[in-house]
Amino acid sequence: MTVRDRLRGGPTILAMGGGGFTMEPDNPALDDFVLSLVDRPEPRVLFLPTASGDPTAHITAFYARYARAASATHLSLFRRHGSARTLADIVLEQDVIYVGGGSMRNLLAIWRAHELDELLVEAWRRGIVLAGLSAGAMCWFAGGVTRSSGPLEVIEGLGLLPGSFTVHADGEPERLPVWLAAVRSGELPGGWAADDGVGLLFRGTRMVRVVSSRPGTAALRADAVGDELVRHRIEPELLGVDPTRPPTPATLPVPDDIRELRELRDMRAAGGLRRI
Amino acid sequence: MEAGNPLLDDYVLSLAGRERPRVCFVPTASGDADHYVVRFYRTFASRCEASHVTLFRRERGGGAVEGDLEAHLLQQDVIYVGGGSVVSLLGAWRAHGLDRILKLAWKRGVVLCGLSAGSLCWFQEAVTAFHGAPTVVRGLGLLPHSNCVHYDGEPERREEYRRFVGDGVRPGYAADDGAALHFVGRDLRRVVSSRPRARAFRVEPRDGDVVEDPLPVSYLGDMARDLAVA
């Protein structure tokens, strides 16, 4: 254990239902919150874009958001970085590891193929903050709900956190009934659903805070009790934006999928989208 | 898909035995990189029934094959596997059952081809150097040999490959950039190249040492010229 390890705050995971730099180009609230979890100037933040195949748009969005306040790097498992350093060297020197969204099935399979799953468990034990959204959030739990093979289905995670987690509860409402049915049947343990913008903070395996970058959002806790499903809504703390933070550069690239979504939304708003 | 050099692409298509072959691109090893998919269509779409498979965006298509991947892949004349990380490739394939489907396609006579990770994956053992020092990984094992690629580009790989074979990795084949090993069944039929000086080697232990025997390489540029004259 290094001095750096001893200074850390114990195992910490921030699981986001959506949001952050890949989904909210104009709202740094969740990214600021990620950085606030590390008590040191210029923390080392590593981005793992594995779940979506390391798209350039996500990587550039990461640097645009994090490079000013942190020592930011990314790790590709598809493109060579020309470094002789091992994955262990790279992963275990970080203060934060941020996992992007995408295909959870691919994420876990590829991590396991590289034995990166074991390194991330070790990083968690050492108190390196694990943060992520969507597939990059569900992966830490016992299980979640994914579209990795097309249709929605239950998927097992790494199990660091002993509940289940489902994401985009407001943005993709069709996920929620699949998750609730799995919790009711016992296929998944009880757990949480999070709207886009909502983050659940875990210290060890205990959920200690719920935060959000967007007003009007919520988290949901659901458990099976006998044949009944017991649910309750959790109101998040609405995050403010740090007023001392430099403004986001105007040239921040917008990822293709976000741009498409926005175009669709604008077309809908203009009444121009016809249903076929 | 070498820029400005169609020789290996022409050779692959000639193996399909059909005027307008069905060619499916599998870019998993690159993380389904968009620019790579575009390059595939630019190269092949005018001459083939071209399609591609994505394992990262199965929920929203994006022009990729949707629905039954097995049925689609088994209908192809050629399956073209792109480069990238062979470890990530095999991990993702196994998670989606593509390893099994591709073995079945091979048994049914679909031509399987690929470069770099898309070459290594077919062999029993493969030398990869993605993170840190070169290591040996198990491929799909259709070809009961070992394989090393970019043999001219990275001198370290050459040394390591010979050391690995000396330490018990099965004998196999090494190829320079631009050299292609053409197997029929499990046996090497010929070596062709898109570059006049590209080489390939059989690497095996002999008399307590590891020897590198150069293989005869047919430069496809010469063959094309001969055909034009004839």
Side-chain angles (χ1 to χ4, degrees):
Chain A
M1 182 166 278
T2 65
V3 173
R4 201 176 183 99
D5 290 336
R6 279 196 292 276
L7 289 172
R8 295 193 176 108
T12 302
I13 289 176
L14 178 68
M16 292 174 276
F21 66 92
T22 54
M23 284 184 69
E24 301 177 306
D26 304 321
N27 183 354
L30 278 170
D31 300 306
D32 288 346
F33 184 69
V34 168
L35 291 173
S36 78
L37 298 173
V38 182
D39 188 19
R40 59 178 299 136
E42 198 151 328
R44 297 177 195 166
V45 183
L46 179 72
F47 178 42
L48 282 178
T50 318
S52 47
D54 300 350
T56 309
H58 286 189
I59 295 167
T60 51
F62 167 70
Y63 286 108
R65 182 63 58 80
Y66 278 91
R68 290 175 181 219
S71 169
T73 50
H74 78 282
L75 174 60
S76 173
L77 298 181
F78 301 95
R79 283 174 265 292
R80 304 185 65 178
H81 52 64
S83 161
R85 301 177 69 218
T86 64
L87 292 180
D89 291 341
I90 295 166
V91 165
L92 296 177
E93 71 172 15
Q94 303 299 324
D95 296 304
V96 177
I97 295 170
Y98 190 113
V99 181
S103 162
M104 182 156 154
R105 186 176 304 286
N106 288 3
L107 176 73
L108 292 175
I110 291 165
W111 280 358
R112 286 180 175 131
H114 290 270
E115 295 171 4
L116 188 55
D117 54 330
E118 291 164 24
L119 283 175
L120 292 170
V121 173
E122 177 61 25
W124 178 68
R125 287 208 187 99
R126 292 193 189 187
I128 295 170
V129 173
L130 305 180
L133 74 149
S134 198
M138 294 189 290
C139 62
W140 313 116
F141 290 80
V145 172
T146 185
R147 289 177 193 280
S148 297
S149 301
L152 284 164
E153 60 182 329
V154 166
I155 185 168
E156 203 178 315
L158 293 177
L160 296 182
L161 300 175
S164 62
F165 190 56
T166 187
V167 294
H168 310 307
D170 53 349
E172 297 178 22
E174 62 277 18
R175 284 176 182 265
L176 202 58
V178 176
W179 175 67
L180 290 170
V183 171
R184 184 194 287 273
S185 72
E187 192 181 357
L188 283 175
W192 296 268
D195 285 348
D196 286 331
V198 172
L200 276 61
L201 180 66
F202 291 82
R203 296 287 188 185
T205 56
R206 212 165 69 81
M207 207 270 282
V208 295
R209 279 178 83 180
V210 180
V211 298
S212 178
S213 61
R214 305 181 188 186
T217 53
L220 176 73
R221 171 80 209 190
D223 291 279
V225 179
D227 287 344
E228 292 294 303
L229 207 50
V230 178
R231 319 188 212 183
H232 68 271
R233 185 184 156 94
I234 307 171
E235 293 295 334
E237 302 166 41
L238 188 59
L239 295 169
V241 175
D242 175 0
T244 64
R245 158 179 241 298
T248 303
T251 52
L252 180 72
V254 179
D256 290 345
D257 46 352
I258 303 292
R259 187 179 44 73
E260 282 168 24
L261 270 173
R262 285 175 167 178
E263 282 169 10
L264 274 173
R265 191 188 57 198
D266 294 347
M267 281 169 72
R268 270 207 198 95
L273 187 70
R274 255 171 282 151
R275 295 194 190 278
I276 304 166
Chain B
M1 288 195 253
E2 290 169 275
N5 185 342
L7 291 171
L8 282 173
D9 299 328
D10 292 347
Y11 185 77
V12 167
L13 294 184
S14 78
L15 302 176
R18 187 196 289 268
E19 182 71 18
R20 206 178 153 78
R22 287 166 292 207
V23 182
C24 185
F25 184 46
V26 183
T28 319
S30 67
D32 295 345
D34 289 338
H35 66 90
Y36 206 8
V37 175
V38 169
R39 184 141 55 100
F40 165 74
Y41 282 106
R42 282 211 176 125
T43 308
F44 285 101
S46 61
R47 319 161 59 184
C48 312
E49 297 303 323
S51 61
H52 79 286
V53 162
T54 173
L55 297 185
F56 286 88
R57 285 170 278 276
R58 290 188 71 182
E59 81 286 6
R60 50 189 152 110
V65 175
E66 292 182 50
D68 190 344
L69 293 184
E70 177 165 354
H72 181 80
L73 287 168
L74 293 177
Q75 281 168 7
Q76 300 304 305
D77 298 302
V78 176
I79 295 173
Y80 193 124
V81 177
S85 162
V86 71
V87 176
S88 296
L89 172 81
L90 292 167
W93 278 4
R94 286 173 180 141
H96 289 268
L98 233 66
D99 53 335
R100 181 187 60 78
I101 297 170
L102 291 169
K103 279 181 192 172
L104 192 56
W106 177 69
K107 284 189 185 137
R108 295 205 183 164
V110 177
V111 175
L112 305 180
C113 79
L115 75 156
S116 193
S119 164
L120 298 172
C121 61
W122 313 118
F123 291 82
Q124 189 83 41
E125 292 173 295
V127 179
T128 178
F130 224 71
H131 294 287
T135 53
V136 175
V137 298
R138 285 179 61 83
L140 296 187
L142 303 180
L143 302 173
H145 320 284
S146 61
N147 183 218
C148 184
V149 294
H150 305 305
Y151 210 51
D152 51 345
E154 295 160 23
E156 194 191 16
R157 276 206 205 199
R158 184 168 183 169
E159 278 169 41
E160 292 290 321
Y161 184 39
R162 292 174 62 169
R163 187 172 65 75
F164 288 137
V165 171
D167 290 347
V169 164
R170 63 184 55 222
Y173 299 92
D176 285 355
D177 289 340
L181 305 160
H182 175 187
F183 289 85
V184 177
R186 294 183 167 83
D187 303 321
L188 184 69
R189 170 70 61 87
R190 67 173 70 88
V191 184
V192 297
S193 81
S194 60
R195 305 177 190 184
R197 276 175 294 280
R199 299 156 308 158
F201 302 91
R202 167 80 183 171
V203 177
E204 61 184 25
R206 196 183 302 150
D207 306 326
D209 200 4
V210 175
V211 293
E212 206 180 47
D213 294 321
L215 297 165
V217 178
S218 307
Y219 171 54
L220 292 166
D222 288 339
M223 291 171 71
R225 200 169 55 229
D226 292 349
L227 284 174
V229 170

